[in-house]
Amino acid sequence: MGDMTLQLFELVGADAGRPFSPFVWRTRMALAHKGLQAETIPWRFTDKAAIACHGSEKVPVLLDGDKAVCDSWAIANYLEDAYPDRPSLFGGDGGRAMARMLNWWGDLAIVGGIFPMVVADIVQRLDPADAAYFRQSREARLKTSLEEAAATRDRAVEGFRRSLDPLRLTLKTQPFLGGAAPNYADYIVFGGFQWARIVSDFQLLQNDDPVYAWRERLLDAFGGLARATPGYPV
Amino acid sequence: MGDMTLQLFELVGADAGRPFSPFVWRTRMALAHKGLQAETIPWRFTDKAAIACHGSEKVPVLLDGDKAVCDSWAIANYLEDAYPDRPSLFGGDGGRAMARMLNWWGDLAIVGGIFPMVVADIVQRLDPADAAYFRQSREARLKTSLEEAAATRDRAVEGFRRSLDPLRLTLKTQPFLGGAAPNYADYIVFGGFQWARIVSDFQLLQNDDPVYAWRERLLDAFGGLARATPGYPV
């Protein structure tokens, strides 16, 4: 399996050059960690047919030659197993097992915590067909309008910041969740912050927060890979 | 360094045979994981002088020959480094780094979440001098009486159970946080449940919760080490 065969379906909005899914960013960072290049296939919410043939309704979907791997967690495990001679994403079997819980924490506390605060911004980044689909499906999930969900974000962000305490306290004694250097645990959490950064100018973190400094370090990682995708102009 | 030199200061109440500190239980399980025996030194809250010479105000304190190691996280790292040929607590460097965050999650969500629900039970397990110290210091921390803190536990436990979602979802696809077998990530979290079980009969978990089944597996681990310390009769 050579690098040149890798292709990654990435969620984009109106601008095909700004992939923003938190889950795709986990995969983007994991690929960079492994030193792998993937060809980007821009994908939009309503483009279900493009990935249905690969057995998925969501991105990321990674194609490696004739193999399709769906779901960011499965992709991370696939990359670790298929490219064992590249830098490890998990740092051993213990790390792989523990990352499963950090992945759920990332889904619930980070993606779930950020979602209502940026949801009204996301819809503005989408093309018209996706915007209609997104509004309908997310308002059903939120049981309120996108704008109502976002209206309380100045208060909600305080609870969100408190929920970061396990991350914040960890970063007081080590620069990354992965230790001296980042690993997949960092990419899990960072994906959510990168998503928010691209779609919204809402300030999730205070500048003096250790989590802010950690996010800066990850924006700089891999030659500034994540920083190179700018936020939508506001 | 031979096993026979290990000694562990363990917090006890009126009954010196029921060590109950959540942090000591992390160390007890870690020692068992490493196949190490430690001589128990029962210790009580007001017995500050006994451990002050080792530079600590809290237990666990582990003595290994002429070396004293304080704090459960430091002890786990010490055991991993001093006994590298024994089964690994972290399963590699990635696991050790990620366990730092799980340790904070355990401190905040588990120990911190359980504390107000069992605090009024703890004080009843202590001898008179410790009970007076405990009430004064903990009521200052809680800014209310122990009994007031516990009075709302029927409602508080619902939020506590929800806070376990990252653990619960992980246990749907693997039997332990450490994967197929338990490792220090499990002992971090389990320590809090074992503490609650010994000092209180309050039902933290519903019987059909995957977390309940996981706790049962850890009570059975190492020949039933944790189950062998019974809860105080109520």
Side-chain angles (χ1 to χ4, degrees), chain A residues 91 94-95 97-98 101 104 170 174 178, chain B residues 91 94-95 97-98 101 104 170 174 178:
Chain A
M98 293 185 208
M101 172 148 162
W104 281 119
T170 302
Q174 60 194 52
Chain B
M98 294 184 208
M101 173 150 163
W104 282 119
T170 302
Q174 59 194 51

Side-chain angles (χ1 to χ4, degrees), chain A residues 89-102 104-105 108 165-167 169-170 173-174 177-179 183 185, chain B residues 89-102 104-105 108 165-167 169-170 173-174 177-179 183 185:
Chain A
L89 287 169
F90 298 119
D93 286 344
R96 190 193 294 232
M98 293 185 208
R100 191 72 195 87
M101 172 148 162
L102 295 178
W104 281 119
W105 187 83
L108 295 165
D165 273 346
L167 170 63
L169 289 162
T170 302
T173 56
Q174 60 194 52
L177 294 181
N183 72 11
Chain B
L89 287 168
F90 298 118
D93 286 344
R96 189 192 296 231
M98 294 184 208
R100 191 71 195 85
M101 173 150 163
L102 295 178
W104 282 119
W105 187 82
L108 296 164
D165 272 347
L167 171 63
L169 289 162
T170 302
T173 56
Q174 59 194 51
L177 293 181
N183 72 11

